DNA sequence: GTGTATGCAAATTATTTGCAATCGA
DNA sequence: TCGATTGCAAATAATTTGCATACAC
């Protein structure tokens, strides 16, 4: 319940204000340490206090992304998830059938990143890329083919 | 101007109706052979005829995707582009600075796809993946660091 | 003729914004 | 104190839907 999160100290050091709303949002994110949608974060915080507004959640998430403390990842269908930046880089595998998200090692992208840089001069931002497909479970269940 | 597109024949064979609207949308897509947004397709068609409605464009694009004749790719910011399926699979490199889209060879993804399948049992759908980053031009212009 | 496809306008969903009130440093 | 931050409600943006009409086959 105290300010045991470095993220809060960091923000304070940078001269930003720590409001109860920001504190609750950060707390919810750090506690879950997962891929959360804005709506999910709102629900989590709402759960512990009425003093929160969805607009504030969006503004705060946007703010934290700008501060580089959290990441925003496009899930591939136009929706987004947020993850704590210190959570490390991950490759999100989104199942188009059951919507479940698996986290794969970021290392898988190393060679791709290198190739894109060499062949196209393109500096890919892959910190939190999401790839759509069929997870192991649904793959077995759905089709035998492929 | 009155070209015969295989796509139209295919649809007819499958028992679907060919309306002037569908014809115009298909024509616009085949003629451009590019990554187009729904809005862009609407503008192109609107340009040659008033007899088109944005809702129809969305419905038709959705229909063509379901029929497997075109692809829809998430650009990474919640917006989408459509490409003709016979255009082949491509890796879209979206510059977060200048918004320009470069198409990279699909082969770059082969090993990634293989690895994901082996290590996670995940069958990735990468036909039209989009990756965000900095293009060669903006990379040079923007920062020396990288 | 029959049922699919379209137009139009209203609904939806997710997110953003204006502005007055509030509150942290 | 005083400007950064919030709440609220209204504004957006992109896409979808209901329903009556139009038209492809």
């Amino acid at each position: 319940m105290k300010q045991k999160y470095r993220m809060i100290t960091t923000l304070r050091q940078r001269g930003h204000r720590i409001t109860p709303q920001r504190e609750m949002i950060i707390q919810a994110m750090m506690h879950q340490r997962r891929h959360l949608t804005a709506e999910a974060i709102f629900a989590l915080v709402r759960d512990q206090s009425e003093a929160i507004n969805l607009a504030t959640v969006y503004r705060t998430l946007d703010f934290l992304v700008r501060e580089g403390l959290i990441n925003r990842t496009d899930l591939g269908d136009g929706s987004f998830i947020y993850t704590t930046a210190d959570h490390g880089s991950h490759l999100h595998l989104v199942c188009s059938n059951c919507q479940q998200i698996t986290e794969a090692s970021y290392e898988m992208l190393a060679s791709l990143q290198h190739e894109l840089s060499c062949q196209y001069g393109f500096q890919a931002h892959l910190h939190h890329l999401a790839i759509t497909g069929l997870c192991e479970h649904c793959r077995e269940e759905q089709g035998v083919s492929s």
Side-chain angles (χ1 to χ4, degrees), chain A residues 19-135:
Chain A
T19 62
Q21 289 85 347
R22 286 185 174 175
E23 212 165 350
M24 289 189 290
I25 289 168
I26 289 170
Q27 192 172 264
M29 292 209 65
M30 297 304 280
H31 186 247
Q32 292 282 133
R33 290 195 159 267
R34 296 262 224 85
H35 22 254
L36 296 165
T37 62
E39 202 77 45
I41 293 163
F42 174 67
L44 280 169
V45 175
R46 225 329 154 42
D47 219 43
Q48 70 171 86
S49 165
E50 285 289 308
I52 192 74
N53 186 280
L54 188 50
T56 302
V57 173
Y58 277 111
R59 272 190 287 227
T60 303
L61 290 174
D62 193 48
F63 164 71
L64 293 174
V65 169
R66 282 198 315 274
E67 290 294 319
L69 300 174
I70 64 174
N71 288 114
R72 174 172 133 143
T73 306
D74 186 314
L75 241 43
D77 62 346
S79 62
F80 301 94
I81 54 172
Y82 296 85
T83 42
T84 56
D86 68 344
H87 187 201
S89 288
H90 282 286
L91 175 57
H92 296 269
L93 306 178
V94 188
C95 180
S96 56
N97 187 240
C98 69
Q99 316 304 324
Q100 195 185 280
I101 304 173
T102 310
E103 285 188 2
S105 150
Y106 184 67
E107 274 82 64
M108 312 213 84
L109 298 171
S111 79
L112 174 64
Q113 188 154 41
H114 181 70
E115 285 294 296
L116 288 177
S117 182
C118 291
Q119 292 194 34
Y120 298 91
F122 190 82
Q123 182 181 1
H125 298 329
L126 301 171
H127 348 285
H128 280 269
L129 180 69
I131 287 179
T132 305
L134 272 188
C135 71

